[in-house]
Amino acid sequence: MKAAVVLTPGEIAIEEVPDPAPGPAEVVVKPAAVGICGTDLHIMDGEFAPAYPIVPGHELAGEIVAVGSAVVGYAVGDQVAVDPSLYCGYCYYCKRARGNQCENWGAIGVTVAGAAAEYVAAPMANLFRLPEHLPARDAALIEPLSCAVRGFDVLPRHLASSYLIYGSGTMGLMMLELAKRAGAESVSMVDLNPERLATAVRLGCSAAVASAGELVAPRGFDVVIDCTGAEAAIRDGLSRVGRGGTFLQFGVAGYDARVAIEPYEIYRREITITGSMAVLHSFERAGELMAAGVLDPSIFVSHRRPLTSYAAALDQFRQGVGRKILIEP
Ligand SMILES: NC(=O)c1ccc[n+]([C@@H]2O[C@H](COP(=O)([O-])OP(=O)(O)OC[C@H]3O[C@@H](n4cnc5c(N)ncnc54)[C@H](O)[C@@H]3O)[C@@H](O)[C@H]2O)c1
Ligand SMILES: [Zn+2]
Ligand SMILES: [Zn+2]
C-alpha cells in the first residue's frame, strides 16, 4: 500500500510499504479521512515519536476491510472512527483510570503506524461505530473533539460561566462549541489571525478580539482556556482568571516555555490552574456529540487533500492557512 512516511525528522515521502494485517483483536481500516494537527508537526520536527520511520495520522475514520480472528461485533464494511490511544492497562496510572498518563503510552500515528496510508490496523476496543447519517470522511473530527471533551472534563461546570478562549484554530473553535452547550453566559475568543476570528464569529462567540485587553471584564473570566500553546497568550490568560476561576492549559507549549505565576493571587482569588492531555474515556462521548451534530463539518473542515499532498498539507497547516485539513487517502 501507499503511505506517507516520516523517514527522519524533517523528511517525509510517499512510499510503498507492506499492508497491515490485523492481530486477533484488531481490525484493518481503510481511512476515508485523516486529520492533520500540531502533533503531526511535532513528529515532523523530531518530537513525540520515539522512533523513525513512522507513518503519521491519528485522527481517523473509515471502513473496516479486515477483522482479526477474535473480533466480535464488527464486520468488513462497518464504518468506524478510531481512538488512537494505546494504553498498556497494567501500569500505575492505567490501574487508576488515568490511561492518558500511561507509563507505556502509545498511539496510532505516533508510536505505531498511523492512518496517512491506504490501510491502518486498530484494536477493536478503540472503535466507535458511526451512525448511518455520519459520513466517515467527516468523522475524523471525532478525535480532536474527544481531546476537547477531555478538557471539559477537568473544568468545573457551572451554568452562566464566562469563558475566555485563546486561539481560534480547530481546538479553540471546538471549545467554543462545547462551551455554548455547557451553558456559558459568554464565550470570548482571542486570536492574532483575523480569518480565524471570523470563523469564531460565524459560530456565535460573544466577542472576537486580537487582544483580551479590548474586552470589558472588570471581574475577569470564570474559565480561561489556552488553545495556542504560545507563551504570550498563556501569560496574558493567567492574568485574566476571575476570583474562583479556572485556567486550563490545553495548548501544547514548547518544552522551554516559562511563565511566572503570582502565588499570592492564586491564594487570594482561589484560582485553579489545570491541564488536559489527549483522550481519556472521552472518545465515545465525542462520537455521540459529533453524531448529534455539535460540529458542522462544512465550517470545521477547510481543505480535503489526497494522500500525495500530505507534505504540502503539513506545510499549509504550519502556516496557519485554513482550519482543519483532512487527507483522504
Ligand atoms: N491538550 C490536548 O489534548 C490537545 C489536543 C489537540 C491539540 N492541542 C494543542 O492545542 C493547540 C491548538 O490546536 P489547533 O489545532 O487549534 O492549532 P492551530 O494552530 O490551528 O490554532 C492555534 C491558534 O492560536 C493562534 N495564536 C497563536 N499565538 C497566539 C497568541 N499569542 N495570542 C492569540 N492567539 C494566538 C493562532 O493564530 C491560531 O489561530 C495546539 O497547541 C495543539 O498542539 C492540545
Ligand atoms: Zn490531533
Ligand atoms: Zn499504562
Side-chain angles (χ1 to χ4, degrees):
M1 67 165 182
K2 287 199 175 4
V5 186
V6 181
L7 301 163
T8 55
E11 197 187 339
I12 187 163
I14 304 296
E15 300 224 318
E16 195 66 36
V17 301
D19 285 2
E26 287 184 345
V27 302
V28 172
V29 173
K30 180 163 182 53
V34 53
I36 286 180
C37 86
T39 299
D40 303 302
L41 294 184
H42 284 291
I43 292 170
M44 192 65 182
D45 295 342
E47 298 155 11
F48 286 9
Y52 295 81
I54 181 81
V55 178
H58 59 279
E59 303 180 356
L60 78 132
E63 180 171 317
I64 295 179
V65 295
V67 297
S69 56
V71 168
V72 287
Y74 289 95
V76 170
D78 287 355
Q79 306 289 311
V80 292
V82 178
D83 178 354
S85 317
L86 302 173
Y87 307 148
C88 76
Y90 57 79
C91 76
Y92 180 93
Y93 295 104
C94 282
K95 293 285 191 199
R96 284 157 181 77
R98 299 293 292 247
N100 62 339
Q101 303 298 330
C102 175
E103 289 172 331
N104 307 298
W105 188 87
I108 294 167
V110 182
T111 58
V112 303
E118 288 178 284
Y119 304 104
V120 59
M124 178 183 96
N126 292 41
L127 304 180
F128 174 77
R129 187 188 306 281
L130 300 181
E132 227 159 73
H133 69 274
L134 178 56
R137 66 194 295 263
D138 294 335
L141 291 172
I142 292 174
E143 196 280 343
L145 183 60
S146 74
C147 295
V149 169
R150 167 65 191 152
F152 262 79
D153 281 350
V154 306
L155 288 175
R157 274 170 300 279
H158 298 297
L159 292 175
S161 292
S162 55
Y163 288 74
L164 175 63
I165 299 174
Y166 289 75
S168 186
T170 298
M171 298 319 309
L173 294 171
M174 287 185 177
M175 291 294 190
L176 162 62
E177 289 295 49
L178 294 179
K180 278 158 56 181
R181 282 161 182 84
E185 175 264 328
S186 63
V187 188
S188 301
M189 304 289 293
V190 185
D191 201 300
L192 306 172
N193 179 339
E195 271 176 49
R196 293 269 166 105
L197 285 177
T199 309
V201 170
R202 204 170 153 203
L203 292 177
C205 68
S206 316
V209 293
S211 157
E214 297 169 45
L215 301 165
V216 181
R219 292 196 184 87
F221 296 83
D222 298 316
V223 177
V224 177
I225 307 176
D226 171 66
C227 290
T228 71
E231 234 178 57
I234 297 162
R235 188 174 297 121
D236 192 66
L238 280 167
S239 73
R240 296 186 193 275
V241 183
R243 296 183 185 195
T246 301
F247 180 87
L248 171 61
Q249 185 58 56
F250 185 85
V252 181
Y255 296 148
D256 55 353
R258 297 286 181 275
V259 296
I261 55 164
E262 294 175 61
Y264 176 80
E265 293 299 329
I266 292 171
Y267 142 77
R268 173 69 187 83
R269 294 190 276 148
E270 290 196 334
I271 290 188
T272 301
I273 300 175
T274 184
S276 88
M277 206 295 277
V279 185
L280 185 65
H281 308 301
S282 54
F283 199 83
E284 190 84 5
R285 286 177 292 146
E288 280 157 13
L289 290 171
M290 190 72 204
V294 161
L295 302 183
D296 179 347
S298 72
I299 294 179
F300 272 82
V301 180
S302 63
H303 296 80
R304 295 178 189 270
R305 293 273 158 82
L307 183 62
T308 47
S309 299
Y310 194 88
L314 270 184
D315 283 341
Q316 181 189 330
F317 177 72
R318 201 187 285 275
Q319 281 148 29
V321 177
R323 292 174 300 281
K324 181 56 81 183
I325 304 169
L326 294 183
I327 299 296
E328 301 192 340

mmCIF file of all heavy atoms in Angstrom, residues 37 40 45 66 154-155 194 243 247 260 267 279 289 309 313:
data_model
loop_
_atom_site.group_PDB
_atom_site.id
_atom_site.type_symbol
_atom_site.label_atom_id
_atom_site.label_comp_id
_atom_site.label_asym_id
_atom_site.label_seq_id
_atom_site.Cartn_x
_atom_site.Cartn_y
_atom_site.Cartn_z
ATOM 1 N N CYS A 37 -2.776 17.733 12.565
ATOM 2 C CA CYS A 37 -2.774 18.653 13.707
ATOM 3 C C CYS A 37 -1.355 18.900 14.185
ATOM 4 O O CYS A 37 -0.391 18.401 13.604
ATOM 5 C CB CYS A 37 -3.676 18.144 14.830
ATOM 6 S SG CYS A 37 -2.888 17.007 15.977
ATOM 7 N N ASP A 40 1.304 16.176 14.464
ATOM 8 C CA ASP A 40 1.999 15.746 13.249
ATOM 9 C C ASP A 40 3.207 16.649 12.968
ATOM 10 O O ASP A 40 4.238 16.179 12.481
ATOM 11 C CB ASP A 40 1.030 15.743 12.064
ATOM 12 C CG ASP A 40 -0.168 14.847 12.336
ATOM 13 O OD1 ASP A 40 0.049 13.649 12.591
ATOM 14 O OD2 ASP A 40 -1.307 15.345 12.325
ATOM 15 N N ASP A 45 9.054 17.379 13.363
ATOM 16 C CA ASP A 45 10.183 18.134 13.911
ATOM 17 C C ASP A 45 11.050 17.295 14.856
ATOM 18 O O ASP A 45 11.939 17.827 15.527
ATOM 19 C CB ASP A 45 9.659 19.373 14.670
ATOM 20 C CG ASP A 45 8.975 20.360 13.725
ATOM 21 O OD1 ASP A 45 9.199 20.269 12.508
ATOM 22 O OD2 ASP A 45 8.201 21.220 14.214
ATOM 23 N N ALA A 66 -10.817 -5.607 7.076
ATOM 24 C CA ALA A 66 -10.403 -6.940 7.548
ATOM 25 C C ALA A 66 -10.598 -6.993 9.053
ATOM 26 O O ALA A 66 -10.439 -5.978 9.739
ATOM 27 C CB ALA A 66 -8.936 -7.200 7.198
ATOM 28 N N VAL A 154 -12.065 18.282 32.899
ATOM 29 C CA VAL A 154 -11.277 18.773 34.041
ATOM 30 C C VAL A 154 -11.732 20.168 34.479
ATOM 31 O O VAL A 154 -11.223 20.699 35.462
ATOM 32 C CB VAL A 154 -9.752 18.771 33.771
ATOM 33 C CG1 VAL A 154 -9.276 17.399 33.332
ATOM 34 C CG2 VAL A 154 -9.345 19.830 32.775
ATOM 35 N N LEU A 155 -12.675 20.762 33.747
ATOM 36 C CA LEU A 155 -13.192 22.079 34.127
ATOM 37 C C LEU A 155 -14.377 21.932 35.082
ATOM 38 O O LEU A 155 -15.119 20.958 35.004
ATOM 39 C CB LEU A 155 -13.676 22.839 32.882
ATOM 40 C CG LEU A 155 -12.599 23.356 31.937
ATOM 41 C CD1 LEU A 155 -13.253 23.970 30.701
ATOM 42 C CD2 LEU A 155 -11.721 24.383 32.639
ATOM 43 N N PRO A 194 -7.057 37.290 11.909
ATOM 44 C CA PRO A 194 -8.440 37.751 11.722
ATOM 45 C C PRO A 194 -9.332 36.731 11.017
ATOM 46 O O PRO A 194 -10.521 36.645 11.327
ATOM 47 C CB PRO A 194 -8.291 39.019 10.872
ATOM 48 C CG PRO A 194 -6.840 39.265 10.676
ATOM 49 C CD PRO A 194 -6.058 38.134 11.248
ATOM 50 N N ARG A 243 -11.978 35.668 40.226
ATOM 51 C CA ARG A 243 -11.993 35.018 41.542
ATOM 52 C C ARG A 243 -12.713 33.679 41.455
ATOM 53 O O ARG A 243 -13.798 33.590 40.884
ATOM 54 C CB ARG A 243 -12.694 35.917 42.559
ATOM 55 C CG ARG A 243 -11.948 37.208 42.777
ATOM 56 C CD ARG A 243 -12.589 38.055 43.833
ATOM 57 N NE ARG A 243 -11.897 39.346 43.907
ATOM 58 C CZ ARG A 243 -12.008 40.204 44.888
ATOM 59 N NH1 ARG A 243 -12.811 39.939 45.906
ATOM 60 N NH2 ARG A 243 -11.342 41.335 44.869
ATOM 61 N N PHE A 247 -8.023 28.160 35.081
ATOM 62 C CA PHE A 247 -7.229 28.286 33.856
ATOM 63 C C PHE A 247 -6.905 26.886 33.361
ATOM 64 O O PHE A 247 -6.352 26.072 34.104
ATOM 65 C CB PHE A 247 -5.928 29.051 34.141
ATOM 66 C CG PHE A 247 -5.070 29.211 32.914
ATOM 67 C CD1 PHE A 247 -5.261 30.287 32.057
ATOM 68 C CD2 PHE A 247 -4.093 28.274 32.609
ATOM 69 C CE1 PHE A 247 -4.480 30.436 30.915
ATOM 70 C CE2 PHE A 247 -3.312 28.413 31.464
ATOM 71 C CZ PHE A 247 -3.503 29.496 30.619
ATOM 72 N N ALA A 260 5.546 33.269 34.610
ATOM 73 C CA ALA A 260 5.544 33.452 36.059
ATOM 74 C C ALA A 260 4.107 33.343 36.570
ATOM 75 O O ALA A 260 3.165 33.724 35.879
ATOM 76 C CB ALA A 260 6.118 34.816 36.402
ATOM 77 N N TYR A 267 -3.749 32.202 45.774
ATOM 78 C CA TYR A 267 -4.334 32.005 47.102
ATOM 79 C C TYR A 267 -5.544 32.930 47.301
ATOM 80 O O TYR A 267 -6.649 32.502 47.611
ATOM 81 C CB TYR A 267 -3.256 32.263 48.172
ATOM 82 C CG TYR A 267 -3.771 32.961 49.398
ATOM 83 C CD1 TYR A 267 -4.502 32.273 50.357
ATOM 84 C CD2 TYR A 267 -3.557 34.331 49.572
ATOM 85 C CE1 TYR A 267 -5.009 32.934 51.466
ATOM 86 C CE2 TYR A 267 -4.057 34.991 50.673
ATOM 87 C CZ TYR A 267 -4.788 34.290 51.625
ATOM 88 O OH TYR A 267 -5.297 34.945 52.691
ATOM 89 N N VAL A 279 -6.829 12.135 25.108
ATOM 90 C CA VAL A 279 -8.141 11.491 25.228
ATOM 91 C C VAL A 279 -8.184 10.682 26.516
ATOM 92 O O VAL A 279 -7.232 9.948 26.806
ATOM 93 C CB VAL A 279 -8.347 10.518 24.035
ATOM 94 C CG1 VAL A 279 -9.737 9.917 24.043
ATOM 95 C CG2 VAL A 279 -8.041 11.215 22.715
ATOM 96 N N LEU A 289 -21.468 13.201 20.431
ATOM 97 C CA LEU A 289 -21.681 14.632 20.169
ATOM 98 C C LEU A 289 -21.596 14.929 18.669
ATOM 99 O O LEU A 289 -22.390 15.702 18.123
ATOM 100 C CB LEU A 289 -20.648 15.481 20.926
ATOM 101 C CG LEU A 289 -20.811 15.534 22.446
ATOM 102 C CD1 LEU A 289 -19.597 16.209 23.086
ATOM 103 C CD2 LEU A 289 -22.084 16.276 22.824
ATOM 104 N N SER A 309 -0.636 14.764 -1.345
ATOM 105 C CA SER A 309 -0.412 16.156 -0.907
ATOM 106 C C SER A 309 -0.094 16.242 0.580
ATOM 107 O O SER A 309 -0.171 17.321 1.166
ATOM 108 C CB SER A 309 -1.661 16.989 -1.201
ATOM 109 O OG SER A 309 -1.938 16.999 -2.567
ATOM 110 N N ALA A 313 0.249 19.629 2.735
ATOM 111 C CA ALA A 313 -0.792 19.917 3.722
ATOM 112 C C ALA A 313 -0.174 20.230 5.086
ATOM 113 O O ALA A 313 -0.640 21.116 5.802
ATOM 114 C CB ALA A 313 -1.753 18.741 3.815
#
